[in-house]
Amino acid sequence: MTDRLDTPDDLAELYDRHARPLHAYLSRRVGAAVADDLAAEAFLVLWEQRHTYDPTRAGARAWLYGVATNLVRRHARSEERRLRAWARHGVPSASDDVGAVVAARADAGALSARLASAIAALRVEERDVLLLVAWADLTPAEIAEVRGVPVATVRTRLHRARTRLRGVDIVEGEGNG
């Protein structure tokens, strides 16, 4: 396994290793339809900017997620609108089973709406860090490298996001702070 980006074969190897988890991360951020486009665009950007890649600064995986996060930021307004809609109407289920959808909504509808609203209310920098940790399983050090900020800044943003989410009362529907 290599993190080189010198040849099309290097890109193909990176694609084989990272396309599926990157798509899963993007799907959670922007939905499956947009994730298809953004995942493809992320690899295109990776290839087009390969001359700027420095493997001593960050691994290809972290750099790829940094590119993907930048692409997601272009869709930030749309993401916020989607989260606010989920907060009003509940998060749609990925299940096609009507009974499972009804049960899931009855059990988790209030939680998902409040959580989506709370995530939408986070500063974009805090939301990016939180979702890169939670959904892409990147470390604070990896995030710091690709975002070009100190690790302490990433940890602070993550702490603030988690603190704000802890302040959301998911049982009664009222914030604690």
Side-chain angles (χ1 to χ4, degrees), residues 2 7 34-35 40-41 59 85 87-88 101 105 107 118 120 130 132 136 154 156 160 165 167 173-174:
T2 180
T7 68
V34 176
E41 189 174 352
R88 286 189 305 273
V101 170
R105 286 196 176 163
D107 292 340
L130 178 73
L132 281 168
V154 172
T156 298
R160 286 180 181 158
L165 292 179
E174 298 175 13

Side-chain angles (χ1 to χ4, degrees), residues 96-110:
D96 291 332
D97 178 23
V98 174
V101 170
V102 171
R105 286 196 176 163
D107 292 340

Side-chain angles (χ1 to χ4, degrees), residues 50-120:
R50 68 187 178 277
H51 63 281
T52 66
Y53 173 61
D54 179 4
T56 63
R57 185 167 171 253
R61 175 178 171 261
W63 193 45
L64 177 63
Y65 278 93
V67 167
T69 299
N70 286 337
L71 293 173
V72 168
R73 282 183 170 212
R74 291 182 186 170
H75 297 275
R77 282 188 230 126
S78 174
E79 179 183 44
E80 286 184 35
R81 284 192 301 266
R82 182 180 308 99
L83 288 168
R84 292 191 193 290
W86 286 353
R88 286 189 305 273
H89 306 291
V91 176
S93 173
S95 172
D96 291 332
D97 178 23
V98 174
V101 170
V102 171
R105 286 196 176 163
D107 292 340
L111 168 63
S112 62
R114 288 186 200 100
L115 186 56
S117 180
I119 292 171

Side-chain angles (χ1 to χ4, degrees), residues 12-30:
E13 183 180 324
L14 286 170
Y15 182 87
D16 290 342
R17 285 194 333 221
H18 301 297
R20 181 170 278 145
L22 177 69
H23 188 274
Y25 166 73
L26 289 169
S27 290
R28 289 175 168 164
R29 291 292 307 261
V30 296

